[in-house]
Each structure stands twice: as structure tokens, then as C-alpha cells.
């Protein structure tokens, strides 16, 4: 019913290219700005570089040098100009990092495989992990957040000379994150989108709409977390420190809005309807004066959950059984 004839053509669009500005500003780190220009979608040989641009940075309405390090609470304005493509401007406020606390962590279902060679014990420990992260949201403003987590290990790569096994490297992998365990990651998904199969996979942005000015506890679950460990066979205390490194970002509204737009295009109902021609394509989000690009900001609060004691205990129990 929905098929028909088609014809390929090159549209004649009477639109002058404009500057496209992108920057993700992080508190405590230098500011990087990516400046390009827009081009016609059908132009496969387009060169989007801008060679004559001048970029100025302002912090709290005062022009600063390019090596300025932004701080929490700074109001950053970026102004770019080009003879060929005109001017572009965007402003964002660097948010303050929030207080968070790991209330509990509960590893379970540990599976251990290990062997000994050349005086070294090599083991793989796989387990599931649940933990709760409490966020104390500041009152008086709309706040936006991004949750990220990765594995870390203190292994320094300096094992004794008697081992020449390159694979004797310790590492930690967080496994599969269970997005469905924490409903706030899906707060932007309505009932109709849920019915049509949309979910929060890959989306860990959220707002304080449900807990503004109070505490909210994230329920975070991982399946199949894996630690590959190399330690001295007779000394399990040599198991390197490793575990989960949690990063809770406070992000600007522009960062959240851009991420939400990307989700709508890739996973939302409106994006799918537009893809098949039953609706208009979603207009891209931008907070730049030209309508092209995004200038966003974030501040990070980092926390670690050390799993080395749990891993030593799991190894001890496995060795006793052998």
C-alpha cells in the first residue's frame, strides 16, 4: 500500500553555508572547539574545513586566552567569525558537580577458572554486580546528569623476569549493563514508544524532574563482570587493585537535549516514522546562533568500587576446592 515510483534528483537548495560549531567543555580541562561549515547533503565531495576562522573565548563576559581552564559555574561564550561563512556564537554555563555516595555493593554468582604456570597464578573471575548510587540533587535549578562506568586496574606491567607470557596482564571488564534495572534512564520514553519497542539501551542521561532538591538512588546492575588476574602463586595479596570506576557527570541542558535528540532519531518512534517517509524528519538540536552544532558543558564526580578483596576471597575458595 505504501510503495510507489521514485526518481533520483539533485535538489536545488538556495541556502548559503554557515559555520557549524561543536565543543564539549569539561571543568578543569582545556577547551577544544571544532569549527566546520554546513554543506548540501547530496554533495559527497564536500570539504567542510574552514581555513579563515577566528575564534574568541569569553568566561563570565571577559575575553580569555585559548589555554583558559574552565571552572564550575563559569559562563563560557564562544564566538567564531569567517569571511566566507559569517559568524557563529554559543554560550553555556559549566554545571557544578554533585555529591553522590555508593550506599551498597553486592557481587554474587562468582565463577572462577584458574591455572598456575611459571610461578604465576592466572585466573578469570566472572560475577554479577549490583550497587546503589545515591545522588543529592541541589535545589533551585533544573539539573541534568549522565552516568558512566568503566573498569580499572592498578596493574603496572612489571612482572618478574622469569615470565615471558605477554598475556599475563590483569584487566577488569564491567560486563553487560542492565539498563532496564533503573527506570529513570527511560523517563523520556512515553507509553506509545514503549509499546512500539523503544527502550533506554545506550542512554544513561537523566534529569532531576522526579527528585528535584532531594535524594535519588540509582539501582545499577551488571551481568558478567570479568576480572582477568595474574598474581604471585603463593601470595594472593599481589592481586592488583581493580574494580568499577563510576563517573557521574552534571551536564548542561544543551548536552542533554542533544543526547535526547540523538535517541529520538535512532530509537524513538518519531525518528522511525520519519525514516520510512510517514512523517517529517526531526530537526537537529542546536544551541549555536547559526542553528548548526552544539556547545555543551559538564563537570565530573568520580567514585571507585574496589573489588580486589572480593576477588582474593573468590580465588581462595576456588583454590581450596582444587
Amino acid at each position: 500500500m505504501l510503495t510507489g515510483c521514485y526518481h533520483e534528483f539533485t535538489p536545488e537548495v538556495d541556502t548559503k553555508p554557515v559555520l557549524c560549531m561543536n565543543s564539549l567543555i569539561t571543568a578543569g580541562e582545556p577547551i577544544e572547539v571544532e569549527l566546520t561549515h554546513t554543506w548540501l547533503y547530496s554533495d559527497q565531495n564536500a570539504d567542510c574545513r574552514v581555513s579563515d576562522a577566528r575564534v574568541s573565548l569569553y568566561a563570565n563576559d571577559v575575553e580569555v586566552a585559548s589555554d583558559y581552564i574552565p571552572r564550575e559555574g563559569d559562563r563560557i561564550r564562544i564566538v567564531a567569525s569567517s569571511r566566507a561563512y559569517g559568524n557563529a556564537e554559543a554560550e553555556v554555563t559549566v554545571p557544578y558537580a554533585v555529591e553522590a555516595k555508593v550506599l551498597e555493593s553486592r557481587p554474587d554468582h562468582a565463577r572462577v577458572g584458574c591455572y598456575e604456570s611459571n610461578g604465576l597464578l592466572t585466573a578469570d573471575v566472572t560475577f554479577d554486580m549490583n550497587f546503589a548510587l545515591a545522588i543529592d540533587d541541589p535545589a533551585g535549578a533544573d539539573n541534568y546528569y549522565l552516568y558512566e562506568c568503566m573498569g580499572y586496574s592498578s596493574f603496572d606491567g612489571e612482572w618478574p623476569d622469569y615470565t615471558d607470557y605477554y598475556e599475563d596482564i590483569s584487566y577488569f571488564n564491567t560486563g553487560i549493563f542492565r539498563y532496564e534495572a533503573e527506570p529513570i534512564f527511560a523517563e523520556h520514553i512515553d507509553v506509545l514508544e514503549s509499546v512500539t519497542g523503544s527502550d533506554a539501551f545506550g542512554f544513561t542521561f537523566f534529569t532531576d524532574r522526579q527528585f528535584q532538591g532531594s535524594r535519588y538512588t540509582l539501582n545499577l546492575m551488571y551481568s558478567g563482570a570479568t576480572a582477568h588476574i595474574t598474581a604471585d602463586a603463593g601470595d594472593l595479596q599481589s592481586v592488583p587493585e581493580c574494580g568499577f570506576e563510576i563517573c557521574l557527570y552534571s551536564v548542561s541542558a544543551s548536552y542533554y537535549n542533544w543526547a535526547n535528540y540523538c535517541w529520538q532519531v535512532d530509537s524513538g518512534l518519531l525518528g522511525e516514522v520519519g525514516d520510512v517517509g510517514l512523517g517529517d524528519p526531526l530537526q537537529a538540536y542546536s544551541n549555536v546562533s547559526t542553528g548548526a552544532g552544539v556547545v555543551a558543558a559538564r563537570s565530573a564526580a568520580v567514585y571507585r568500587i574496589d573489588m580486589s578483596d572480593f576477588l582474593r576471597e573468590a580465588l581462595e575458595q576456588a583454590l581450596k576446592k582444587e
Side-chain angles (χ1 to χ4, degrees), residues 40 50 54 56 124 133 144 159 169 182 188 222 235-236 246 248 263 265 269 276 278 306 316:
L40 193 62
V50 178
R54 181 182 183 275
S56 301
D124 288 292
L133 181 68
Y144 305 85
W159 289 107
I169 298 176
E182 177 45 63
H188 61 291
Y222 289 83
D235 181 16
L236 291 182
I246 302 165
L248 180 66
W263 182 89
V265 170
L269 179 60
V276 297
L278 298 180
D306 183 11
E316 288 177 357

Side-chain angles (χ1 to χ4, degrees), residues 111-192:
R111 287 85 67 191
V112 181
C114 58
Y115 66 91
E116 184 178 340
S117 177
N118 293 332
L120 294 180
L121 177 67
T122 301
D124 288 292
V125 183
T126 304
F127 60 97
D128 298 334
M129 180 69 171
N130 302 335
F131 58 90
L133 181 68
I135 302 171
D136 293 318
D137 181 72
D142 295 331
N143 299 301
Y144 305 85
Y145 300 102
L146 167 62
Y147 166 80
E148 290 184 351
C149 183
M150 63 186 66
Y152 76 92
S153 174
S154 63
F155 175 72
D156 59 11
E158 297 179 358
W159 289 107
D161 293 337
Y162 55 75
T163 176
D164 58 359
Y165 288 90
Y166 179 76
E167 65 270 22
D168 287 336
I169 298 176
S170 296
Y171 62 84
F172 188 90
N173 187 293
T174 60
I176 300 174
F177 181 54
R178 304 287 297 276
Y179 292 90
E180 73 279 5
E182 177 45 63
I184 203 165
F185 296 141
E187 65 175 350
H188 61 291
I189 304 175
D190 62 25
V191 175
L192 180 59

Side-chain angles (χ1 to χ4, degrees), residues 6-313:
Y6 69 90
H7 177 68
E8 293 185 1
F9 69 99
T10 300
E12 295 182 4
V13 180
D14 186 19
T15 301
K16 183 180 179 181
V18 297
L19 288 178
C20 176
M21 179 190 298
N22 288 287
S23 181
L24 178 55
I25 300 168
T26 303
E29 298 181 8
I31 299 174
E32 294 185 3
V33 180
E34 182 183 87
L35 200 64
T36 58
H37 67 81
T38 56
W39 68 92
L40 193 62
Y41 179 79
S42 58
D43 186 358
Q44 299 181 2
N45 299 316
D47 183 358
C48 62
R49 292 175 296 180
V50 178
S51 58
D52 67 337
R54 181 182 183 275
V55 179
S56 301
L57 295 177
Y58 295 85
N60 307 311
D61 296 326
V62 177
E63 187 170 4
V64 296
S66 59
D67 59 352
Y68 178 78
I69 303 300
R71 298 168 295 183
E72 296 176 359
D74 277 356
R75 191 173 70 257
I76 303 296
R77 181 161 56 96
I78 305 175
V79 179
S81 60
S82 165
R83 290 184 179 180
Y85 304 107
N87 302 322
E89 181 177 338
E91 183 176 287
V92 68
T93 298
V94 182
Y96 287 90
V98 299
E99 292 292 330
K101 183 179 181 181
V102 179
L103 298 181
E104 64 172 322
S105 55
R106 189 176 66 256
D108 53 17
H109 302 106
R111 287 85 67 191
V112 181
C114 58
Y115 66 91
E116 184 178 340
S117 177
N118 293 332
L120 294 180
L121 177 67
T122 301
D124 288 292
V125 183
T126 304
F127 60 97
D128 298 334
M129 180 69 171
N130 302 335
F131 58 90
L133 181 68
I135 302 171
D136 293 318
D137 181 72
D142 295 331
N143 299 301
Y144 305 85
Y145 300 102
L146 167 62
Y147 166 80
E148 290 184 351
C149 183
M150 63 186 66
Y152 76 92
S153 174
S154 63
F155 175 72
D156 59 11
E158 297 179 358
W159 289 107
D161 293 337
Y162 55 75
T163 176
D164 58 359
Y165 288 90
Y166 179 76
E167 65 270 22
D168 287 336
I169 298 176
S170 296
Y171 62 84
F172 188 90
N173 187 293
T174 60
I176 300 174
F177 181 54
R178 304 287 297 276
Y179 292 90
E180 73 279 5
E182 177 45 63
I184 203 165
F185 296 141
E187 65 175 350
H188 61 291
I189 304 175
D190 62 25
V191 175
L192 180 59
E193 288 173 326
S194 296
V195 171
T196 55
S198 297
D199 58 33
F201 181 81
F203 192 89
T204 54
F205 287 83
F206 59 100
T207 73
D208 65 347
R209 287 194 293 260
Q210 301 180 52
F211 58 96
Q212 193 170 68
S214 61
R215 169 173 284 198
Y216 184 84
T217 302
L218 294 173
N219 181 39
L220 304 166
M221 299 177 60
Y222 289 83
S223 298
T226 303
H228 180 76
I229 301 168
T230 304
D232 292 334
D235 181 16
L236 291 182
Q237 293 303 314
S238 62
V239 171
E241 180 183 340
C242 57
F244 296 83
E245 183 171 275
I246 302 165
C247 192
L248 180 66
Y249 288 103
S250 298
V251 303
S252 63
S254 57
Y255 198 5
Y256 176 84
N257 290 336
W258 175 82
N260 198 330
Y261 158 75
C262 292
W263 182 89
Q264 297 291 344
V265 170
D266 296 335
S267 304
L269 179 60
L270 292 177
E272 292 182 1
V273 169
D275 286 344
V276 297
L278 298 180
D280 292 332
L282 294 176
Q283 183 174 353
Y285 171 80
S286 175
N287 65 334
V288 181
S289 59
T290 60
V294 178
V295 173
R298 63 183 182 180
S299 296
V302 180
Y303 307 90
R304 282 186 169 183
I305 302 177
D306 183 11
M307 302 302 299
S308 52
D309 287 341
F310 164 76
L311 296 173
R312 293 188 189 102
E313 183 177 329

